Amino acid sequence: AECALIRILDDRNYDELSESIGKCLRDSDMMGLMDDIYLYVLLTQTSMEDSQIAMERLRENGIDPDNDLNIS
């Protein structure tokens, strides 16, 4: 199954940011902090095309996703 990992480039506090991002995600998606102190969103069962849609949804909600996606 494909999945996408999106790094969020936003300097708001994590509580506010996670609440905003949570409104844009499906129940099967996850988010969390990595060692580099960035917040990441893991989109499960998501193709490259679908991840672009999710990134646009994040942008529409004032969230700045990194344009470099990791797909596996």
Side-chain angles (χ1 to χ4, degrees), residues 13-51:
N13 74 55
Y14 294 122
D15 290 334
E16 178 184 342
L17 194 54
S18 64
E19 184 176 327
S20 297
I21 292 171
K23 295 175 184 176
C24 301
L25 300 180
R26 304 168 295 183
D27 289 340
S28 61
D29 298 330
M30 296 176 252
M31 66 180 139
L33 294 171
M34 299 284 274
D35 290 340
D36 61 3
I37 313 175
Y38 284 103
L39 188 63
Y40 284 82
V41 175
L42 178 63
L43 304 172
T44 59
Q45 300 178 357
T46 303
S47 67
M48 178 66 98
E49 183 178 320
D50 290 340
S51 65

